[in-house]
Amino acid sequence: MMGCWILNESLSIILVLSWLGVNLYLFIDTFYWYEEEESFLYTRVMLGSTLAWARASAVCLNFNCMLILLPVSRNLISFLRGTSTCFRGPWRRQLDKNLKFHKLVAYGIVINATIHIAAHLFNLEHYHWSQSPEAEGLVAALSKLGDTPNETYLNPIRTFHTNTITELLTTIAGITGLLISLALILIMTSSTEFIRQVSYELFWYTHHVFIIFFISLAIHGAGRIVRGQTPESLLLHNVSFCRDHLEEWQARCPVPQFSGKEPSAWKWVLGPVVLYACERIIRFWRFQQEVIITKVVSHPSGVLELCMKKRDFKMAPGQYVLIQCPSISTLEWHPFTLTSAPQEDFFSVHIRAAGDWTEALCKAFGAEGQSLKEPWKLPRLAVDGPFGAALTDVFHYPVSMCIAAGIGVTPFAALLKSIWYQCCEAQTQCKLNKVYFYWICRDSGAFEWFADLLLSLETKMSEQGKAHFLSYHIFLTGWDENQAFHIALHWDENADVITGLRQKTFYGRPNWNHEFQQVAFSHPSSNIGVFFCGPKALSKILQRMCRLYSSADPRGVHFYYNRESF
């Protein structure tokens, strides 16, 4: 009944459990290795189990740092989506959840980094205590090693009166550890949804601290502070016997020699870092390609429409591009969903002034003063992409319900245009024969730019005798008293007072039970695709509606839920 959706969700759960399983395996395997390995017996005598906690979390940290860059390598994902036969159907949709996996891995990095830091703070305290007058026996003897020639130390804190924090910050491990911690704090705190909405620029710039993070990570272990017994020393100094016969050291038990393990973090992250560097080189190459701005439209609602052309540019409905304006910032790239159809000889985006960068862009194109600049005076733009999933599944159903909330309407602009070209103007037969479009929006001003598109489609379909093909329902959830009075005064007019369309705007939120009942009644034996872009709360409601109104009879109506992420 909800087979496709259940399969997609099952695959997502399998992938998450696989990631979790690998983390658990690496942690447990490394933990027990350091708890039982003979070469680290003397280290465990001094540090206890916190040695294993530090090393196990370090391995998991390296593993997650290896993964963190892969989901944001857009060209790699586009390559896998477009060319690999392994990524078809449900598996292909997992690629669209790349940012969710990126966030999941980031949480894994934070958890393991926290464990690693806490364990090493305990280790530092154990090292310091081992030099205290209270320390005696084997612990005291091990701490004194390194004071005479031909000896190597096990305890990096050489005297009890040493300031451990000062000593730590004079080492490679201490300095890089501090840089890694600060970079991680900056990245995580600026990645919250609140920060991204208030200042995307802050999020973008602080995220690039990852360069410092990875450089520090690669050299973090070069200091080799945590040490174990060398293989040569193990052959001469039998720890099982000698640990209990301290008085026979120098006689039957040669003094043990210690060394740190070679740093391994760079081996984990080298491949992904090189791959991501190639990603940025490709972006730089695309930055050099010419983008011709063919049309600029300033919509009354503060939305700037840019129509552009670029050599060999190919797109699909639902994809997005990254745009840079060097006159505003030579570093920032911002994502925008494409609002043009693949059949058009240009590509377009609609940009709303909702931050420092977008406001500066609108001003650069003269949108604020409503007097657009001459073509030769327009600032240069660079475009990278397109990226993301194509909304092609909508054509696989005889009936599709497209539901957008707020800014989630942008991918449907390209989709509705593409539907027109493929199913209304094309000579070939199209499986899709009915589209229900719903848009829920809080601000009436946001309707203005999209209403132009709907009005154009409405006129074209009426002229072609296919007015029944598209049914659209626009819901306004916010208005004031003046608007209410104006709406009531012009209610009887043929065109809607808000959008100018023939179909009247609805006020308030949709009754989804009623909407699904009507669609199910109108198409009693059809497979209906439900496509949604918007907040999670509404997504859950629509999933429930799909399950509720799908028939148990295989010959009845079935709703298949698809949530799009942009």
Side-chain angles (χ1 to χ4, degrees), residues 354-559:
D356 295 339
W357 190 90
T358 50
E359 287 176 0
L361 186 71
C362 291
K363 185 177 180 180
F365 279 87
E368 289 186 345
Q370 301 299 321
S371 55
L372 299 176
K373 293 183 178 180
E374 298 295 333
W376 60 84
K377 294 182 179 179
L378 295 176
R380 178 179 176 266
L381 292 181
V383 175
D384 189 15
F387 302 111
L391 273 171
T392 53
D393 288 350
V394 73
F395 298 103
H396 298 164
Y397 300 93
V399 181
S400 288
M401 296 175 67
C402 299
I403 304 168
I407 198 63
V409 75
T410 48
F412 290 110
L415 178 64
L416 291 177
K417 287 183 183 179
S418 188
I419 287 173
W420 163 257
Y421 283 109
Q422 291 195 40
C423 301
C424 296
E425 283 195 342
Q427 299 299 318
T428 56
Q429 288 292 325
C430 182
K431 184 176 181 180
L432 181 65
N433 53 53
K434 181 65 178 180
V435 177
Y436 293 91
F437 176 68
Y438 299 84
W439 187 19
I440 304 101
C441 194
R442 185 180 301 171
D443 179 16
S444 60
F447 290 130
E448 295 173 17
W449 74 267
F450 198 75
D452 293 339
L453 169 63
L454 290 178
L455 183 60
S456 174
L457 291 175
E458 186 180 63
T459 303
K460 289 178 181 179
M461 290 181 183
S462 179
E463 291 173 353
Q464 294 281 341
K466 295 185 177 181
H468 67 283
F469 183 82
L470 173 64
S471 295
Y472 53 88
H473 308 268
I474 300 177
F475 293 83
L476 179 64
T477 60
W479 62 86
D480 56 31
E481 292 183 5
N482 292 332
Q483 285 178 315
F485 178 77
H486 185 64
I487 291 165
L489 187 63
H490 296 275
W491 182 256
D492 294 330
E493 295 182 5
N494 292 329
D496 183 71
V497 66
I498 298 291
T499 63
L501 299 166
R502 295 175 188 173
Q503 173 68 53
K504 297 290 187 178
T505 298
F506 297 92
Y507 300 94
R509 300 187 183 279
N511 183 336
W512 292 114
N513 281 294
H514 174 75
E515 299 299 334
F516 274 80
Q517 281 176 356
Q518 289 293 319
V519 174
F521 179 78
S522 301
H523 309 278
S525 301
S526 298
N527 290 330
I528 301 171
V530 179
F531 297 85
F532 172 69
C533 186
K536 292 181 181 179
L538 183 52
S539 177
K540 292 179 180 179
I541 294 173
L542 295 175
Q543 288 179 44
R544 189 170 68 250
M545 292 295 108
C546 288
R547 291 192 294 267
L548 182 62
Y549 289 100
S550 291
S551 174
D553 186 349
R555 296 168 296 180
V557 63
H558 294 91
F559 292 90

Side-chain angles (χ1 to χ4, degrees), residues 35-71:
E35 281 287 275
E36 298 172 0
E37 172 58 28
E38 194 175 48
S39 61
F40 283 93
L41 189 146
Y42 285 146
T43 315
R44 290 195 298 273
V45 167
M46 191 174 295
L47 301 181
S49 62
T50 52
L51 167 68
W53 280 98
R55 301 312 301 164
S57 57
V59 170
C60 291
L61 184 61
N62 291 337
F63 170 68
N64 285 284
C65 288
M66 178 186 72
L67 296 178
I68 193 71
L69 291 177
L70 298 179

Side-chain angles (χ1 to χ4, degrees), residues 21-39:
V22 173
N23 273 281
L24 287 173
Y25 168 77
L26 289 173
F27 192 94
I28 294 170
D29 182 67
T30 307
F31 187 92
Y32 279 106
W33 191 88
Y34 277 94
E35 281 287 275
E36 298 172 0
E37 172 58 28
E38 194 175 48
S39 61

Side-chain angles (χ1 to χ4, degrees), residues 63-73 98 101-107 109 210 213-214 269 272:
F63 170 68
N64 285 284
C65 288
M66 178 186 72
L67 296 178
I68 193 71
L69 291 177
L70 298 179
V72 291
S73 298
N98 59 318
F101 184 66
H102 177 72
K103 294 175 183 177
L104 181 66
V105 173
Y107 290 131
I109 289 175
F210 84 92
F213 177 90
F214 275 97
V269 301

